[in-house]
Amino acid sequence: MIPSVFNGKKIIVGITGGIAAYKTAFLIRDLVSNGAEVKVAVTPSALNFITPLTLSTLSQNDIIVNTFPDSNSSYSNTWHIDVATWADLMIIAPATINTVAKIVNGFADNALTTLVTALRCPLIIAPAADMDMYQNPITQKNIKTLTDLGYFVVEAEEGFLASGLTGKGRLADLSKILDAAEIVLKGYKKDLTGRKILVTAGPTQEDIDPVRFITNRSSGKMGYQIAKSAFLRGADVTLISGPSSEKIYPEIKKVNVKSADEMYKAVQQELEENEILIMSAAVADYTPAKKKSTKIKKEDNFQNIELTKTVDILSAVKKENKFIVGFALETDNEIEHAKKKLTQKGLDMIVLNSLREAGSGFEIDTNKITIINKRLDVTDLPLLTKFETANQILNQINKNL
Ligand code: CTP
């Protein structure tokens, strides 16, 4: 098993006074259960929404509330320097617009903002507020300034808000904050900012009749992780997905398709707007020649399905000024077959998956791949999580662009 990226990491979780503070308990629990050592710093108003006992129990540490230590505190008199230099990462979730404004202006008027000024490690800020407060131009300007200053902002999402209104302001989903923490701890930056990337993922379903179809074992995990990593690294991402139960961030434009033909049409349409295509979908090579419009009955004595070839999307798409990445799933003579596919389909890069490798393949969270570029240079990667594999693929794309 691959150890969690959080294992042994020292993380400060900052909480400010917004209703989303109750969700941060789950964030702390996830970090601790993945092996992180967590210290929690709160603003006084955060304690209107969540209790110190909850936070100290989950983090297994005293919480930091006051700028000046209490006589019974386990922290030293210079705690803000000790804790700031101890940490590998700080995450503020939720960050109210008040705290965002204070950070932007360098205030150190409570324990949490004081810590921020002394940090040496990366800082992730996940702001949250009601929709009008969030959209307020001053808030928007401050959030942009945080990004410009090099902090990693995980923007709020649209949804139902505590006020009863629906709009943008809800704290980002915790899974996205954890993904951002992984990206930051691994040292990745927003190095894909300005890039427009189209990713395909999942299997296709080829109808036989209204009830049955032909499909394959692809879960979509790899493509979804590529889309997420690319988004977190700053890219503008569109995902074309065959049927998959994987979840994607709401900011990523998602086009749902079923058949290889639908996927082809969607790729043609979306590629015009994008410069990079990462074709990780497991597209069916064959589809039933005739799709019955009514259910095939047992009495029909149906025995053979006549198949016809689908369009090979990678070969067919217009490639001028595009960087095209294909995937190859092989069981034998892997490198040779992958190089042949790269050349025949006119690709810039190919990602080879071998079903013979332990820990790689369908429906699991790890992968072991080999990447081959246009010059036929071969890069072997070790067994990694699919999320880290996705980041390594993006690194290679960046290198070969
Ligand atoms: N692909 C595609 N259109 C298809 C089938 C596959 O664009 N109709 C793409 C896949 O998304 C993948 C690459 O082609 O990026 C390789 O797919 P794979 O099935 O491994 O290769 P094939 O060319 O179909 O060859 P074979 O099945 O014989 O290995």
Side-chain angles (χ1 to χ4, degrees):
M1 209 172 91
I2 300 170
S4 161
V5 68
F6 299 114
N7 193 29
K9 289 289 184 298
K10 301 181 176 81
I11 301 176
I12 308 169
V13 174
I15 309 176
T16 70
I19 178 63
Y22 79 92
K23 297 181 183 172
T24 313
F26 293 93
L27 182 71
I28 296 166
R29 203 184 53 166
D30 275 350
L31 292 170
V32 171
S33 66
N34 277 297
E37 204 182 323
V38 174
K39 292 187 177 172
V40 179
V42 297
T43 59
S45 57
L47 298 180
N48 291 315
F49 297 97
I50 189 152
T51 73
L53 184 60
T54 306
L55 299 172
S56 57
T57 306
L58 290 173
S59 68
Q60 302 166 358
N61 272 310
D62 283 349
I63 65 163
I64 299 164
V65 192
N66 299 315
T67 312
F68 302 102
D70 308 324
S71 52
N72 60 354
S73 165
S74 58
Y75 292 100
S76 73
N77 288 348
T78 55
W79 66 268
H80 58 295
I81 304 300
D82 302 344
V83 174
T85 51
W86 162 88
D88 297 310
L89 173 70
M90 179 170 182
I91 306 171
I92 306 180
T96 57
I97 63 166
N98 187 37
T99 292
V100 166
K102 285 181 186 179
I103 294 172
V104 165
N105 288 287
F107 279 48
D109 65 341
N110 60 36
L112 187 146
T113 51
T114 302
L115 257 180
V116 168
T117 61
L119 279 187
R120 287 185 188 169
C121 65
L123 171 60
I124 294 175
I125 302 173
D130 208 78
M131 54 186 288
D132 297 302
M133 297 165 77
Y134 198 83
Q135 294 303 349
N136 179 296
I138 302 169
T139 310
Q140 288 298 305
K141 181 169 164 264
N142 285 340
I143 290 174
K144 185 176 176 303
T145 307
L146 289 177
T147 306
D148 294 344
L149 287 168
Y151 296 122
F152 199 106
V153 176
V154 184
E155 281 241 32
E157 294 176 3
E158 297 212 7
F160 182 70
L161 303 167
S163 61
L165 299 173
T166 299
K168 186 171 179 181
R170 198 164 75 167
L171 180 69
D173 198 78
L174 295 185
S175 68
K176 195 203 278 172
I177 298 175
L178 286 166
D179 289 344
E182 178 159 355
I183 289 264
V184 170
L185 282 171
K186 288 264 170 72
Y188 296 117
K189 305 269 182 277
K190 300 233 177 193
D191 55 348
L192 296 172
T193 302
R195 298 279 182 204
K196 291 174 79 79
I197 304 183
L198 177 61
V199 182
T200 69
T204 62
Q205 288 179 353
E206 309 301 322
D207 284 351
I208 300 168
D209 72 3
V211 182
R212 292 96 170 186
F213 51 76
I214 300 171
T215 190
N216 59 63
R217 291 186 196 281
S218 169
S219 60
K221 276 182 197 289
M222 194 61 246
Y224 276 65
Q225 300 293 34
I226 294 170
K228 288 180 182 179
S229 310
F231 172 81
L232 290 171
R233 287 169 66 167
D236 182 345
V237 181
T238 301
L239 174 67
I240 301 174
S241 176
S244 166
S245 57
E246 293 294 307
K247 295 209 163 35
I248 197 68
Y249 309 147
E251 297 89 343
I252 293 179
K253 176 180 172 189
K254 187 178 172 209
V255 182
N256 291 314
V257 297
K258 272 173 73 182
S259 64
D261 186 49
E262 282 175 24
M263 186 162 286
Y264 178 40
K265 289 188 176 118
V267 170
Q268 276 178 308
Q269 186 164 343
E270 298 296 333
L271 191 56
E272 290 197 5
E273 288 295 307
N274 287 279
E275 53 173 337
I276 300 169
L277 168 64
I278 307 176
M279 193 77 200
S280 73
V283 187
D285 289 329
Y286 293 92
T287 191
K290 290 193 190 81
K291 297 164 197 345
K292 306 261 185 218
S293 57
T294 54
K295 187 181 169 195
I296 300 164
K297 305 293 286 176
K298 223 179 300 178
E299 303 84 74
D300 293 346
N301 207 14
F302 183 78
Q303 287 184 338
N304 297 306
I305 304 172
E306 196 194 326
L307 298 173
T308 158
K309 272 196 178 155
T310 58
V311 174
D312 189 301
I313 303 172
L314 272 180
S315 301
V317 287
K318 287 200 192 117
K319 300 190 180 67
E320 293 83 53
N321 302 321
K322 310 281 179 195
F323 189 92
I324 310 281
V325 182
F327 275 64
L329 180 69
E330 307 292 344
T331 55
D332 60 299
N333 291 331
E334 291 91 338
I335 301 269
E336 195 188 314
H337 281 141
K339 282 184 176 172
K340 199 166 146 204
K341 271 179 199 170
L342 176 103
T343 313
Q344 278 179 351
K345 298 193 188 200
L347 309 179
D348 297 290
M349 211 171 99
I350 196 155
V351 177
L352 166 64
N353 263 295
S354 169
L355 269 190
R356 283 200 295 185
E357 296 280 4
S360 75
F362 302 113
E363 293 157 2
I364 52 173
D365 290 323
T366 53
N367 209 354
K368 189 172 180 322
I369 57 161
T370 300
I371 297 177
I372 305 171
N373 68 14
K374 217 175 177 167
R375 295 185 302 278
L376 303 183
D377 303 327
V378 177
T379 308
D380 270 321
L381 292 173
L383 184 71
L384 299 167
T385 62
K386 282 195 173 156
F387 196 62
E388 180 54 15
T389 304
N391 279 296
Q392 295 287 340
I393 293 169
L394 294 171
N395 288 351
Q396 290 292 329
I397 292 174
N398 239 348
K399 231 195 232 176
N400 287 284
L401 269 175

